[in-house]
Amino acid sequence: MTVESSNRPAVPSASSATMITVAPTGAELEKSAVPALPVTLEELVITAKECREAGAAMIHVHIRDGNARPTLDLGRLTETVQALREATDLIVQLSTGGAVTDSYERRLAVLDAAPDGCSLTCGTVNFGDDVFMNPWPFMCELYARTQELGVVPEFELFDLGHVAALHRLLDKYGAPFGGHVHCDLVMGVPGGMAGDAATLVQAVAALPQGSTWSATGVGRTAVPVMFAALAAGGQLRVGMEDTITFSRGRPVARNAELVERAATLASLAQRPAMTPEAARVMLGVPDRH
Ligand code: KMH
Ligand code: ZN
């Protein structure tokens, strides 16, 4: 797959199946407020198995410490990658975003846990009342490390300006490890791009030629973004990192029900859930089992 970071509109990823990523935990929610959130390794492994069963092909992982607080402890991350690999065939993607309080050093060191993939956010963004920092030199260093260590990045785009930064990154450093550009539009974050169909179409049109993409809508934008992504030929990300309300007044009981709903909608759209094996081929992720 050739990477062209021109400004030509991206061809929608015309796939006959839909890759579903589950983001089960995140770094923002408190276990005490959301008891269904998987925070221990055991809870995470159970969640991963249930979500695989429901149709997920990839898991986007944030981990917690013994007090259920977000951590980037390398030992725990390594143990988590190994446990998820033993228990499932899911593509294991570690977050390099961490929590807004994590240092750049710790975020770079995440790659030493040897995941299949990692998130790589293409710019700073207001993040509710906080700021999620991703300055250009950090992006470059992280990208160079993914190439060096053989980790497939997923470019997280919270805003249209992040798409421009992605073009700049690819122009400067070339194709990612695996040779294929895959992006994730994170929509509806207070401070980022809106979570609606019009914005999604605009963002997709600006992506690098030949890239594939998924989309996730935060909070109440989850469902409209899912429909828009399916209609526009994209992949889906769902999970309690992004939404804890299944429908008005009804909290999410477990991550797998969000994956089940996504898989059902994907089937209705005539693009049923993709296997992890097919997703590896699409993304250029080697099988490390
Ligand atoms: N927790 C957010 C500050 C990522 O995983 O790369 C960052 C985030 C993005 O969740
Ligand atoms: Zn994340």
Side-chain angles (χ1 to χ4, degrees), residues 26 60 62 95 119 237 241:
H60 167 81
H62 290 254
S95 166
S119 54
R237 174 174 127 174
E241 171 166 348

